Amino acid sequence: MSTNPLANKAQAWSALFSEPMSELVQRYTASVGFDQRLWRADIDGSLAHADMLAAQGIIAAQDLADIQRGMALIVAEIESGEFQWKLELEDVHLNIEARLTELVGLAGKRLHTGRSRNDQVATDVRLWLRSEIDTLAPLLVAMQRALVELAAEHSDTVMPGFTHMQVAQPVSFAHHLLAYVEMFARDADRLADVRKRVNVLPLGAAALAGTSYPLDRERVARTLGFDGICQNSLDAVSDRDFALEFSGFASICMVHVSRLSEEIVLWMSQNFGFIDLADRYCTGSSIMPQKRNPDVAELARGKTGRVVGHLMGLLTLMKGQPLTYNKDNQEDKEPLFDTVDTLRDTLRIMAEMVGGIRVKADAMERAALRGYATATDLADYLVKKGLPFRDAHETVAHAVKVALQRGIDLAELSLAELQGFNPAIEADVADALTLQGSMRSRNVVGGTAPSQVLAQVARHRERLAG
Ligand code: ARG
């Protein structure tokens, strides 16, 4: 009774095994190299389980006290780096349980009553992911705030809006930035929604079928802050759709980051020259002395590939698994860890970088003046004078053709020349043809008119406050 069966893992599965694992199999099947990251969740889960076992009279009060004392020692050992993680003990769960038994004896051996590593690991990953979600949510707020505050200064800064990468219509830089705020706001909603389904307790499912001990699962859920308990033990131990959902959220969010990064790279290029980034977000070239490269934005764009890749990996991991737990599931951790780490660092650095964007308003305006961005405004002007839109469209196409041939903007055509295209044109056309006039006219909710954009800034500030 005084031996610790976990001290030698070949014996952990009982006397059934007649030979030890080969070194290669041990290394191949072990997860402790990465899942030790779950240690705090593992200990919190064990303490909640032990507390419930004692409350239900399944273990003695003294056992609970011993387990609590042992776990406190283990926390101190892990935090100080003294804890000896052992490959032969396979994973975080067996490592901690074995150490507990070394420290407190019999009580350590009683901890696993009514529990399996199958419901234990599912619980640990959910607990861990929940705490990571709670650190990611404020980063999404910070990202939105950085964009909103930059937008607040640029409701009158005109730039070309593009479709097909061709100059389309003038928009304000603020309006453009607020498009990303909408995307990140939806990401934040998605994350909050994912959290609801992460925050459900598997413990009590045991290996797969539930357990014969009179567990109080609701008590464990309350102790650990879960919103509810899994209602089917087979599902509880086997599905990882909460991880898939998180990974889906993270992929979509990174795709948004990637699109913004792509724009930052373009805007900073000499061909656009719309913005400049602070030096601390750029790197030089080892051969070309003139270079200042937007490496951070490029890496954010590049790292999107790995996060999307992890989603594909996890989906593929799950697709062929019959119920219930299979060791395949051990492969869920590294992609999930890397997804969290990548997203966290990326959101932090992007929010900082956006806050340091220097806007070159003149270059934006010059670019907007180059591509006949107000052609639609001239057509709309003619419609207001009574022309059907299709005819107005055709008339303006003629005007653009002439202006193109002469290498000038529509606004540079004289009133007499414009009237040659349609006599309904009057002196008030000038306002329609300016970039600012065009923006002001798009005074619909969701439009680029400065008053609308400022109203959106105010709405976002209120939404993101607190
Ligand atoms: N290390 C395992 C994992 O990550 C823990 C569960 C192992 N369960 C089992 N029956 N082998 O999934």
Side-chain angles (χ1 to χ4, degrees):
M1 277 303 268
S2 63
T3 56
N4 180 354
L6 293 181
N8 173 347
K9 218 198 64 182
Q11 290 165 20
W13 323 136
S14 82
L16 184 65
F17 286 72
S18 58
E19 59 173 7
M21 255 179 203
S22 79
E23 188 269 330
L24 178 59
V25 172
Q26 208 168 68
R27 193 156 51 75
Y28 195 74
T29 55
S31 54
V32 65
F34 49 87
D35 71 9
Q36 54 181 268
R37 185 165 172 174
L38 297 173
W39 68 269
R40 198 179 287 278
D42 194 67
I43 290 176
D44 288 346
S46 288
L47 288 172
H49 179 67
D51 159 79
M52 178 276 295
L53 291 177
Q56 296 295 98
I58 301 168
I59 62 172
Q62 185 57 50
D63 288 327
L64 173 60
D66 288 347
I67 289 168
Q68 288 168 335
R69 177 172 55 83
M71 287 301 197
L73 292 170
I74 291 173
V75 168
E77 286 179 2
I78 296 175
E79 281 180 339
S80 69
E82 279 162 48
F83 191 91
Q84 304 260 316
W85 297 101
K86 295 184 181 145
L87 189 79
E88 59 278 18
L89 286 170
E90 193 180 317
D91 58 22
V92 61
H93 323 293
L94 294 180
N95 267 270
I96 289 177
E97 194 188 327
R99 181 68 183 137
L100 181 69
T101 300
E102 260 171 36
L103 289 168
V104 305
L106 286 179
K109 292 192 202 174
R110 294 196 174 111
L111 170 63
H112 212 49
T113 312
R115 185 178 74 168
S116 155
R117 275 188 300 155
N118 297 350
D119 57 346
Q120 184 178 1
V121 70
T123 303
D124 289 5
V125 176
R126 284 170 185 264
L127 276 176
W128 172 83
L129 187 55
R130 185 184 72 190
S131 75
E132 295 298 329
I133 287 173
D134 293 343
T135 64
L136 286 169
L139 297 180
L140 274 169
V141 171
M143 180 77 214
Q144 293 177 71
R145 279 198 189 129
L147 289 162
V148 169
E149 291 316 311
L150 185 59
E153 294 164 31
H154 292 287
S155 58
D156 280 313
T157 306
V158 64
M159 68 178 273
F162 296 91
T163 60
H164 312 270
M165 269 320 277
Q166 309 278 317
V167 171
Q169 292 173 348
V171 296
S172 71
F173 186 52
H175 195 49
H176 194 108
L177 293 171
L178 292 185
Y180 285 99
V181 174
E182 297 291 333
M183 298 178 222
F184 291 120
R186 287 193 298 275
D187 291 334
D189 278 356
R190 258 187 287 279
L191 183 61
D193 207 53
V194 170
R195 190 188 191 283
K196 289 184 213 156
R197 283 178 292 279
V198 168
N199 202 28
V200 184
L201 174 78
L203 274 183
L208 75 164
T211 176
S212 57
Y213 298 96
L215 302 189
D216 182 351
R217 300 186 62 207
E218 295 287 356
R219 181 187 175 106
V220 178
R222 273 196 308 277
T223 308
L224 293 172
F226 282 107
D227 295 328
I229 62 179
C230 298
Q231 298 292 320
N232 180 295
S233 62
L234 307 177
D235 175 49
V237 295
S238 63
D239 206 354
R240 296 290 182 269
D241 61 354
F242 67 90
L244 296 178
E245 272 194 66
F246 176 80
S247 204
F249 143 78
S251 296
I252 295 171
C253 185
M254 283 298 289
V255 166
H256 291 151
V257 167
S258 186
R259 299 183 72 188
L260 176 58
S261 298
E262 167 70 3
E263 302 221 74
I264 288 173
V265 171
L266 285 174
W267 291 341
M268 201 183 146
S269 74
Q270 286 79 3
N271 294 333
F272 281 75
F274 285 5
I275 62 164
D276 205 358
L277 292 176
D279 276 341
R280 62 185 178 282
Y281 302 111
C282 299
T283 59
S285 155
S286 56
I287 177 168
M288 297 169 282
Q290 84 281 14
K291 294 297 284 284
R292 276 174 76 252
N293 299 327
D295 283 25
V296 168
E298 291 171 58
L299 273 173
R301 190 177 58 189
K303 284 173 189 289
T304 303
R306 63 200 269 173
V307 171
V308 173
H310 292 324
L311 172 61
M312 295 305 122
L314 287 171
L315 287 166
T316 311
L317 174 70
M318 293 312 297
K319 72 173 278 298
Q321 285 195 55
L323 296 186
T324 59
Y325 177 86
N326 303 283
K327 189 77 165 186
D328 310 41
N329 282 338
Q330 183 162 287
E331 288 288 306
D332 65 354
K333 290 168 198 64
E334 287 163 292
L336 207 49
F337 294 165
D338 189 62
T339 296
V340 164
D341 292 342
T342 305
L343 184 60
R344 186 201 306 105
D345 288 353
T346 302
L347 287 174
R348 283 185 54 195
I349 204 161
M350 287 295 289
E352 266 183 40
M353 192 169 72
V354 163
I357 285 179
R358 284 195 295 274
V359 175
K360 297 177 173 173
D362 292 352
M364 288 185 180
E365 180 158 1
R366 272 198 307 279
L369 284 170
R370 269 203 303 269
Y372 303 98
T374 56
T376 318
D377 298 276
L378 181 54
D380 289 341
Y381 173 88
L382 288 169
V383 168
K384 281 166 200 154
K385 297 283 178 184
L387 250 70
F389 182 77
R390 277 291 153 231
D391 293 341
H393 184 280
E394 183 65 12
T395 302
V396 177
H398 285 301
V400 169
K401 192 168 179 187
V402 168
L404 253 178
Q405 278 159 358
R406 293 178 37 199
I408 59 173
D409 188 58
L410 286 178
E412 292 171 276
L413 292 167
S414 70
L415 181 58
E417 285 169 314
L418 286 168
Q419 284 167 337
F421 296 109
N422 191 297
I425 296 176
E426 295 172 72
D428 61 352
V429 74
D431 195 42
L433 292 181
T434 65
L435 299 174
Q436 297 294 346
S438 166
M439 286 208 309
R440 263 199 311 277
S441 73
R442 298 182 190 282
N443 191 12
V444 61
V445 175
T448 194
S451 58
Q452 293 290 345
V453 169
L454 288 174
Q456 294 288 345
V457 165
R459 180 176 70 81
H460 287 305
R461 277 180 171 159
E462 198 181 314
R463 186 174 63 73
L464 297 166

